Amino acid sequence: MNRTGFSQRLEPRLSQALIMTPQLQQAIKMLQLSNLELTDFINGEIQQNPLLERREPLREDAFGDYDNDAQRASAAAAPDTLSGEFAPDVAEHWQPEWGGDGDRPVDFGGEPQLWRNHNGGFDAEARSGLDQTATRLRTLREHLLEQIGTDLGDQGDRVIALHLLDLLDEDGYLRAGLDGVAGLLGCSLPRVEGVLARLQQFDPAGVFARDLKECLALQLRDRNRLDPAMAALLDHLPLLAARNVPALVRVCRVDAADVADMIREIQSLDPKPGHAFDPPLAQPVVPDILMRAQPKGGWVVELNAETLPRVLVNNSYYARIRQATRSKTEKAYLTERLHAANWLVKALHQRAITILKVAAEIVRQQAAFFHYGVPSLRPLILRDIADAIGMHESTISRVTSNKYMATPRGLYELKYFFTSAIATSSGSGAHSAEAVRHRIRALIDDEPADDTLSDERIVELLRHEGVDIARRTVAKYREAMRIASSVRRRRTKQRTLAKMRRHGGGAA
C-alpha cells in the first residue's frame, strides 16, 4: 500500500475490438477492384504463391470426364456462383410519368463481341495482319528532342532546353515558373527566357506556352496573323467566351465582319498542341456484370466470366513438396502458403457473391428504369441497398466503385443508379435527380426555334408536372449538363436565324 492509501494490483479483463488483419485489408481491397484490376492483383499473388494456379474453363472430353485432375479440383475450390435470376416487382401495366425513349428497341448493338474470348481479346481469325498494323505514333518528346539537337548549338542552352522539356505537360504547356528553373540550374533568368523563346518557335506551333493566351499568340505569330486587333482580342478572351461581339468590336477597333473573321481564325487554332503527337488513349470500358432479360419476364444478372479471374489450389503439388520437405522452416512456409491460397480462393468466392447480391438488388429496385428509361429512374441511396441485403453501407460503396454493368439499355457504372431525391409538389413521393435532369434537357431540346425557356419558366413547368424544385437547382443541373443560359441560347438562335435570312436572301 502506498502513502495515499490506495493499492495497485493486476486484474484480467475481457473486451472486444475490431482488428484489421492483413487478410481483412486484402479482402476489402479486392472488393473495390474491377475484374480487370483484380486480374492484375491475382497475377501478382500467383507469382508469390507456388501453390496457386490460374483456373482454366472446364472442358469435357468425348466420354464426358474432365480432362485432368486439376480441372476437377478447381471445380471444388472455386464454385461457380456467377449468376442469379429473379423477377422484378414492377407492374407490367405501369407507365412512366414522362415520355422518353422507353419504346425504343433495346439491343447491345454487338458490343458483347468485344469480350468474347477468355483472354479478353478477339479470336485469332479476327486479328489483322502485320500489313494492317498501325505504325507507332511519334511522341512529342521525340519530336522536340530532334529539334533541340538540331537548332541549339550551345551545350548550356541544350541543358536548359532539356530541363524545360521535362517540365512540359501532355497538352504541350510549360506550367512551371522560370525563376525556379534558373535557380536550380545556376544560370540567369534572362538566359532561361531566351532559351524558352527559341523553344516556342519549334513545331508544333504553340508548344512551350505558359497559358492559353500565349499558346494562341504563338500560333497566330507562326501564321503571321498576330496584328494589333488580334492581340487586343487575345487580351479579352473572356469577352470571346461570352460571345460579346459588340464589346469585342469596341476593344479591337474593327467592325463586326472583321471580328467574325478573327473569331473563325481563333477557332481554327489548337489549344492543346501536344495532343497532336501524344493523343490520349481511349481505354474501352469492360463490364464486370452482365444483365439480360429472360424470355418469360424478369432478369438474369451474372458476372462477366470472360474477365473474371479464377484460381485453384494445387493440392497434389503441395503433397509432393510436403513429403520431400525436412526442414521445420520450410514446412511452416508451405503451411502458410497453403492457408493463404485457400483463403484467397474463398475470398474470391465471397467477392462474387457480394457483387451479385448488390447488382441484383439494384436491378430489382430500378426495374422501372430498365423497362421505361431514364424518366423512370427512382431515388436510391446506399442505405436502401444495404438494408435490403443485410450489409453495411461501406460494403455497398466499395462494391459499386469502379464497376460497370452491361444492360439492354447500355453500359452503366453502378454508381449511376444512386441518385438523390427531389420532392413532389404534393409531398406524396419523390423523383430521382437524374430523371429531373433528363426532363430539363428534354424541355430545352423542345424549345421553339424563336424562343427560349428561362430557368424560372422551367421551374413552373416542372411544378405543373409534380416536381418541387428551386430555380437555383435548375440552374445547377443545367450548368452540369453544359447547357447555356436562356440569354446565351437566345443570342445563338438569333444569330442562326440572321444567317439563314442572309443566306436565303442571297440565294433569291
Side-chain angles (χ1 to χ4, degrees), residues 215 238 247 289 353 358 382 466 468 472:
C215 179
I289 306 159
I353 294 176
V358 173
L382 297 176
D468 188 11
R472 62 179 178 276

Side-chain angles (χ1 to χ4, degrees), residues 136-435:
R136 183 181 70 87
L137 295 177
R138 196 179 191 189
T139 66
L140 178 64
R141 181 178 180 83
E142 293 170 347
H143 186 66
L144 294 175
L145 276 174
E146 180 180 340
Q147 297 179 73
I148 290 174
T150 303
D151 296 355
L152 298 182
D154 185 80
Q155 187 65 28
D157 291 346
R158 287 186 181 182
V159 172
I160 297 174
L162 292 175
H163 187 80
L164 294 177
L165 178 60
D166 291 336
L167 298 176
L168 210 63
D169 65 12
E170 60 182 8
D171 296 334
Y173 284 80
L174 183 66
R175 308 289 186 182
L178 299 184
D179 293 335
V181 176
L184 181 64
L185 299 180
C187 59
S188 63
L189 180 60
R191 183 173 184 180
V192 176
E193 293 175 342
V195 173
L196 177 60
R198 297 183 64 179
L199 294 177
Q200 289 178 344
Q201 299 175 10
F202 284 2
D203 179 71
V207 73
F208 285 102
R210 286 162 287 187
D211 52 36
L212 177 61
K213 173 186 173 182
E214 188 173 37
C215 179
L216 300 179
L218 291 173
Q219 296 181 56
L220 290 170
R221 184 181 293 114
D222 183 70
R223 299 182 181 185
N224 197 24
R225 286 284 295 118
L226 189 59
D227 53 30
M230 190 67 79
L233 177 61
L234 295 180
D235 290 334
H236 297 84
L237 288 178
L239 296 179
L240 177 60
R243 299 179 181 271
N244 194 340
V245 176
L248 290 175
V249 169
R250 292 193 300 270
V251 298
C252 297
R253 298 183 180 182
V254 293
D255 56 24
D258 289 335
V259 168
D261 292 338
M262 293 163 62
I263 292 176
R264 283 193 291 270
E265 185 84 23
I266 293 292
Q267 291 174 341
S268 67
L269 304 178
D270 187 359
K272 297 180 179 180
H275 285 186
F277 287 84
D278 297 327
L281 297 177
Q283 297 294 337
V285 177
V286 179
D288 305 277
I289 306 159
L290 305 178
M291 169 192 168
R292 67 179 187 273
Q294 298 188 83
K296 297 182 180 180
W299 309 98
V300 176
V301 178
E302 58 187 358
L303 297 183
N304 187 357
E306 302 295 340
T307 61
L308 185 67
R310 307 185 200 179
V311 295
L312 61 87
V313 181
N314 196 331
N315 290 303
S316 59
Y317 177 72
Y318 168 77
R320 293 196 304 270
I321 298 298
R322 179 77 175 180
Q323 291 177 356
T325 302
R326 298 291 181 264
S327 170
K328 183 181 296 185
T329 304
E330 293 176 352
K331 289 182 178 180
Y333 171 77
L334 280 177
T335 302
E336 186 272 333
R337 291 289 85 189
L338 179 63
H339 291 332
N342 286 327
W343 178 88
L344 181 62
V345 171
K346 294 178 181 178
L348 287 173
H349 178 61
Q350 184 60 43
R351 174 186 180 273
I353 294 176
T354 303
I355 293 176
L356 274 178
K357 282 184 178 180
V358 173
E361 184 61 24
I362 290 175
V363 172
R364 189 187 69 81
Q365 297 208 27
Q366 296 289 8
F369 163 79
F370 298 109
H371 280 282
Y372 307 108
V374 177
S376 303
L377 196 66
R378 57 169 291 187
L380 189 66
I381 58 177
L382 297 176
R383 189 184 304 114
D384 297 334
I385 302 297
D387 293 342
I389 63 178
M391 293 183 179
H392 197 270
E393 290 181 45
S394 61
T395 303
I396 309 302
S397 177
R398 293 186 180 99
V399 170
T400 55
S401 296
N402 196 28
K403 293 182 183 64
Y404 292 82
M405 181 165 60
T407 75
R409 288 197 171 272
L411 189 63
Y412 292 92
E413 188 178 9
L414 292 184
K415 291 287 188 184
Y416 172 83
F417 299 103
F418 294 89
T419 61
S420 57
I422 296 180
T424 60
S425 56
S426 61
S428 59
H431 292 285
S432 164
E434 185 64 29

Side-chain angles (χ1 to χ4, degrees), residues 441-453:
R441 178 180 290 278
L443 289 173
I444 294 176
D445 290 343
D446 293 339
E447 284 178 341
D450 56 348
D451 195 11
T452 56
L453 294 176

Side-chain angles (χ1 to χ4, degrees), residues 15-66:
S15 62
Q16 292 181 342
L18 179 62
I19 300 177
M20 292 287 289
T21 63
Q23 286 186 340
L24 181 58
Q25 294 176 4
Q26 192 178 53
I28 292 175
K29 177 183 178 181
M30 289 169 55
L31 199 58
Q32 290 178 291
L33 300 178
S34 65
N35 285 358
L36 297 182
E37 294 170 338
L38 183 64
T39 300
D40 295 335
F41 174 77
I42 294 300
N43 290 338
E45 292 297 315
I46 292 176
Q47 293 178 0
Q48 297 176 12
N49 195 332
L51 302 182
L52 282 174
E53 292 183 3
R54 181 171 295 281
R55 175 188 173 186
E56 299 298 334
L58 295 177
R59 297 185 298 271
E60 295 185 5
D61 58 20
F63 299 98
D65 295 330
Y66 293 126

Side-chain angles (χ1 to χ4, degrees), residues 122-134:
F122 295 98
D123 291 334
E125 294 81 0
R127 295 176 182 172
S128 301
L130 292 177
D131 56 337
Q132 298 178 358
T133 304

